[in-house]
Each structure stands twice: as structure tokens, then as C-alpha cells.
Amino acid sequence: MLHVQTFSTKGIKKMNDRRPLIAGNWKMFKNGPEAVAAAIKLANLLGKNHDVDVMIAPPFTALAQVSDAIKESRLSLGAQNLFWEFEGAYTGEISPAMLVSAGCEYVIIGHSERRQYFGETDDTVNRKISAAVDHDLKPIFCVGESEKERESNATFSVLDKQVTSGLKGFSSNQLKALIIAYEPVWAIGTGKTATTDQAQEVHRFLRAMLENSYGNTLAKSIRILYGGSVKPDNISELMAMDDVDGALVGGASLDPETFSGIVHFQI
Ligand code: PGA
């Protein structure tokens, strides 16, 4: 039987079977003790209410400690990246199995900062998603256009290429736990947020792509998050959009009180 959740935001009713996910990407901020303190504070602020999935992704060095600290809470743990090999002579890299043993349930893959500063390509993103899937880690696959691409009307062709290449070779069965994050590069850390219409238009496009390739059932179940300057005061209107199923939050996830304000969007 289909489990349907109803969310009411500013009078707009939203009905689907997708459980919202609010994910915090802590990037290269917080050492071990700082991450643990923030995670505990956040867990206390959020309490045990389970209407929304909440994930935090601290730096690698804090993962195991944070995992211990949030065991009894509603928080889940994610990593910000992985390497696709199981083990080997790959200095500086972290394998999917290591993330699992550190307590991770999710992994962010293909963030625009990784594409921009660390040479990630659609091909490496594809291999990383595959490694995550093989180890039962839920991949949060990031896509998004640059400002220049949006201005030259290339948004949809850029996204089409990123999604098609990133998901090349997967069967619908392998993508059951996939999460997509639409993060327009021009909105990340800039204070500029996509309008709700811009976000909805892209999310609808992405869902239609999934439907074309994998069918309606999978397309309807995959969560598509919005990311880029999400804050407590813009989350509710974004979440009111039909195809926006959550958020990937950078800057505003670092402060537990602010992040908890985002998690409590639906009221
Ligand atoms: P931001 O970052 O919320 O600081 O814009 C989002 C992200 O990079 O995932």
C-alpha cells in the first residue's frame, strides 16, 4: 500500500509518498570536538520527531566520533565524498567500506566544489555513485548549472548531460536509494537563491528525465533536493513546491539553531 504523507506549508497542500530529507553539508568546517558538540546540540534541538529525515555530513576526520555521538538521535550521518576502490594504494583517498564502518548512511557525490576544484567529471561521478550503490550507501548526486550556462539558456542541456552521464549503466533497481540534489552553482554560498518557480521547473525536468529512463514508479520515489543559500526564511516556500523533496544546506547547516529552523520548515 502506498504510504502518503501530507505536508501543509503556507496553506499549500502537498501530497506524495516522498519523505523529506534535510541534509547539512559541513564542508571543510569543524574539527572532531566541534563537530560532536554541534551534532549533540542539533540532536537536542530536533528531539525525536520523525516527520523529516535529517542528515549531517561532517569532514572525514569527525565521522566516527559524530557517529557515536548521534547514535540515539534521529540524525543520520553522511560523508562529503568517497573514492570508488574498495582498498589499495590510493594515498589520501577514503573507500566506501571505510565510510560504512565509520557509521555513514549517505554520501554526497559530485558537489560542484569537487567538480570545480578537484577535477571531478561526469565519469568519476558515475564511478562514485556505482561504488556507493554497491556498498548500500545512499548517494546524494549533485547537479547544477553555472551562472553563464543559465544566462545562455543551457540549463536543461547541462543538467541532461550531467544526469545522463552520472547515471549511465544503472538499472532502476540499483537506483532505489538515489537522491538527487539540484544545486545551481550561482546560488551556492552566494546568498542568491533560485526562485521557487526556477527550482520547481528544474526539479520537474529532472523527474521527467528519471521517468523516461527508469519509469514512473522509480521517478516518483526518488527525492530531489534543492541546494543553494537555503535558510530558515526561504525553506518553507521551496518545500511547498511539488517536486522539491528537501534541501542540501551548506552555510546555514553549521549553526545548530539555524539548521534546526530549516528542519522545522513544515509548520
Ligand atoms: P550553501 O551551500 O547553502 O552555503 O549555499 C550549499 C551546498 O554547497 O551544498
Side-chain angles (χ1 to χ4, degrees):
M1 201 184 82
L2 202 64
H3 175 58
V4 177
Q5 286 180 309
T6 306
F7 293 94
S8 179
T9 311
K10 290 189 175 170
I12 300 164
K13 279 219 161 129
K14 189 167 156 170
M15 285 185 72
N16 61 52
D17 57 347
R18 296 185 295 274
R19 192 175 156 83
L21 168 64
I22 304 292
N25 172 11
W26 288 359
K27 306 194 179 182
M28 201 172 72
F29 293 98
K30 300 188 194 293
N31 61 25
E34 288 165 349
V36 167
I40 291 173
K41 192 165 175 195
L42 179 65
N44 289 335
L45 285 166
L46 296 183
K48 297 276 179 197
N49 179 343
H50 281 272
D51 284 351
V52 175
D53 289 338
V54 186
M55 181 219 80
I56 48 174
F60 286 136
T61 48
L63 287 174
Q65 281 166 274
V66 170
S67 169
D68 273 351
I70 63 176
K71 266 203 179 92
E72 305 299 321
S73 79
R74 62 182 282 203
L75 294 175
S76 300
L77 192 67
Q80 300 172 20
N81 183 30
L82 53 59
F83 186 57
W84 53 78
E85 293 290 345
F86 178 73
E87 62 183 11
Y90 302 104
T91 303
E93 293 297 328
I94 305 289
S95 78
M98 290 169 183
L99 296 184
V100 171
S101 88
C104 290
E105 184 183 334
Y106 297 84
V107 58
I108 299 169
I109 293 175
H111 189 281
S112 64
E113 286 151 16
R114 302 242 20 117
R115 295 178 190 256
Q116 191 180 345
Y117 305 129
F118 303 101
E120 294 224 354
T121 63
D122 291 334
D123 178 54
T124 61
V125 167
N126 178 262
R127 297 176 80 161
K128 289 182 177 197
I129 295 173
S130 176
V133 167
D134 286 350
H135 289 82
D136 289 329
L137 285 161
K138 297 179 178 133
I140 302 183
F141 167 33
C142 303
V143 295
E145 81 287 3
S146 68
E147 186 153 35
K148 216 164 127 200
E149 288 161 346
R150 179 162 279 271
E151 278 166 4
S152 57
N153 289 325
T155 299
F156 295 110
S157 60
V158 167
L159 292 168
D160 188 303
K161 180 175 171 295
Q162 288 176 347
V163 173
T164 305
S165 316
L167 299 184
K168 197 167 153 196
F170 290 104
S171 67
S172 44
N173 207 32
Q174 289 173 300
L175 296 181
K176 280 193 176 132
L178 179 76
I179 294 148
I180 295 184
Y182 168 55
E183 299 206 306
V185 179
W186 48 270
I188 296 178
T190 58
K192 292 186 199 167
T193 323
T195 64
T196 51
D197 288 345
Q198 283 171 330
Q200 170 58 24
E201 185 185 33
V202 169
H203 285 225
R204 173 70 38 100
F205 170 81
L206 294 172
R207 203 175 303 285
M209 274 193 80
L210 293 170
E211 188 174 348
N212 261 340
S213 308
Y214 304 102
N216 186 263
T217 309
L218 187 75
K220 268 186 157 166
S221 72
I222 288 182
R223 293 180 287 186
I224 306 179
L225 315 182
Y226 169 79
S229 299
V230 173
K231 300 189 181 58
D233 61 6
N234 59 24
I235 183 69
S236 292
E237 58 190 34
L238 285 161
M239 288 305 296
M241 298 292 108
D242 263 0
D243 289 290
V244 176
D245 307 313
L248 181 54
V249 187
S253 71
L254 291 169
D255 172 53
E257 268 161 26
T258 309
F259 192 51
S260 133
I262 294 174
V263 174
H264 289 125
F265 69 87
Q266 75 270 41
I267 296 128

